[in-house]
Amino acid sequence: MAAQAPLITVIVPACRAAATLPRAIASLRAQTVPDLAIRIVDDGSPDDTGAVADALARQDPRIAVRHQRNQGGYFARLNAARVATTPWLAFVDADDTAEPTLYAELLAFAQDNDLDVAECERVGVPERPPEVLPDRDAVFRRYIRPNLLEGRGASFVWDKLYRNTPALADFAALPIHQFDDLCLNLQFLRGVRRLGLLHRPLYRYDVNPGSSVRRLTPRHVRDLRNAIAFRRTVAPAYGLAPDDPLFDAWALKNARNFLVVAATGTLPADWSRADAARAITTAPEVQDALRRAPRGTPCRRLLALAARHPALVILFLSLAARLRRLLSRRHSK
């Protein structure tokens, strides 16, 4: 009997993941949905990730490996998604794992409710009753606007099952590493009619000690600028003007977050904290948002001050962080 054609392509971007990739792939091989296509993308990794991926592919005919020059997670996912022929797409990070029933449950939920996107929770989040957002208006109001546009919630790709779409051919070629999940979702969700929230903890997200959350480089600042600019280009798809205040609010919120990392995180040896603050606050995209934003907001005041006196603001933020740590230690005793 001929093997059943796969329904889902699971894409696993991998860079410097030689140690964690086997565990991630083992969790996919253990899925209770047997008709999976597993696609590992070796994103120009300098370690043994590519060799590990090739060895895994020899163990299971469902696994294929794509080797590419280092382009970041955005292109690793997009390049593989564009050539996928299955009706559904999913993404798993190379240092995470999936619960055995993840894709069986998401697929059944999506098919039973005629969904374009189905989302689960990560392990550790309490389970809740599922929700279905039944039309475009509900998807925009209750999911896209708060999570993707206003930034009040998270925007991941690894917790979702997406209906495959020809629109992938028109997804933007973005030179971006950080905010890649957000930028992909802004495009995946442009044409979504119905979205479901399963609210079951089925994806095991592992915090990477080498995460960029506490690290800042000039590349991260470029990513912020590119993300600010890209969000404005997709505004018409959501019935918004590129200068809608919510885009300015998102830009200033994330610029402020980058300022905090500049003051308290890890920087390259040849980049001073004041240089980092100057690069963030003088970026044209941040300056545009500053000019339009209401003058009284704390975020705007902080960024405007940092643009004029970067060293002073860095000192203030670092002292505030030390004070918070000291108070936290005292309360924990």
Side-chain angles (χ1 to χ4, degrees):
M1 188 171 65
Q4 185 174 353
L7 292 176
I8 304 171
T9 297
V10 184
I11 296 165
V12 186
C15 185
R16 296 183 177 88
T20 60
L21 184 60
R23 183 166 52 95
I25 297 303
S27 76
L28 296 180
R29 295 178 67 187
Q31 289 296 300
T32 56
V33 172
D35 42 347
L36 287 181
I38 303 168
R39 301 293 179 256
I40 304 171
V41 184
D42 168 29
D43 186 36
S45 190
D47 66 359
D48 293 333
T49 296
V52 170
D54 289 336
L56 291 168
R58 290 192 290 271
Q59 299 171 14
D60 191 324
R62 296 176 297 173
I63 302 172
V65 181
R66 178 190 182 102
H67 299 278
Q68 66 176 39
R69 65 181 177 84
N70 182 253
Q71 295 178 281
Y74 180 90
F75 277 112
R77 295 184 179 103
L78 180 57
N79 290 341
R82 279 176 167 165
V83 298
T85 58
T86 53
W88 298 92
L89 298 172
F91 303 93
V92 167
D93 287 354
D95 53 356
D96 296 341
T97 55
E99 295 296 283
T101 62
L102 169 61
Y103 293 118
E105 294 194 49
L106 282 182
L107 182 61
F109 184 51
Q111 291 176 329
D112 291 347
N113 294 281
D114 187 27
L115 304 177
D116 295 311
V117 176
E119 179 180 293
C120 70
E121 296 285 2
R122 71 181 186 275
V123 171
V125 175
E127 183 172 350
R128 293 182 286 145
E131 300 176 71
V132 172
L133 308 183
D135 53 46
R136 181 65 181 168
D137 180 64
V139 172
F140 178 78
R141 286 186 297 102
R142 295 171 56 190
Y143 191 90
I144 294 173
R145 185 176 182 109
N147 294 319
L148 275 66
L149 299 176
E150 295 178 353
R152 288 192 277 125
S155 177
F156 304 116
V157 296
W158 42 254
D159 57 0
K160 296 176 179 62
L161 182 68
Y162 300 88
R163 191 184 296 275
N164 202 346
T165 169
L168 278 160
D170 299 320
F171 278 26
L174 290 174
I176 198 164
H177 291 71
Q178 201 152 343
F179 306 109
D180 52 326
D181 285 38
L182 170 66
C183 292
L184 281 169
N185 273 323
L186 282 170
Q187 297 171 93
F188 268 118
L189 271 62
R190 278 186 299 197
V192 166
R193 304 166 297 113
R194 291 167 63 85
L195 183 146
L197 306 170
L198 187 57
H199 292 315
R200 274 182 47 74
L202 297 169
Y203 186 97
R204 192 171 295 277
Y205 175 77
D206 290 334
V207 178
N208 183 353
S211 169
S212 63
V213 173
R214 302 303 310 154
R215 188 174 73 251
L216 190 70
T217 69
R219 191 204 76 197
H220 291 97
V221 178
R222 288 195 298 272
D223 284 349
L224 175 62
R225 295 181 58 184
N226 287 333
I228 293 171
F230 176 70
R231 285 164 56 83
R232 297 190 192 282
T233 69
V234 299
Y238 295 105
L240 300 171
D243 60 351
D244 189 289
L246 70 84
F247 292 114
D248 294 327
W250 185 91
L252 296 184
K253 173 186 172 183
N254 282 277
R256 178 202 61 198
N257 293 344
F258 273 42
L259 264 186
V260 172
V261 178
T264 60
T266 302
L267 275 64
D270 59 348
W271 209 35
S272 75
R273 298 192 184 278
D275 287 341
R278 195 174 294 108
I280 295 163
T281 56
T282 60
E285 295 79 4
V286 175
Q287 285 290 311
D288 286 344
L290 280 170
R291 280 191 289 271
R292 285 190 294 259
R295 291 183 176 275
T297 61
C299 186
R300 187 194 184 284
R301 288 200 300 267
L302 177 67
L303 287 161
L305 180 62
R308 297 192 301 272
H309 307 289
L312 178 64
V313 170
I314 287 293
L315 177 61
F316 167 76
L317 290 173
S318 61
L319 290 174
R322 290 178 193 173
L323 179 60
R324 283 194 297 270
R325 288 196 295 270
L326 179 60
L327 292 175
S328 176
R329 288 195 202 102
R330 287 185 175 178
H331 286 307
S332 64
K333 289 181 180 177

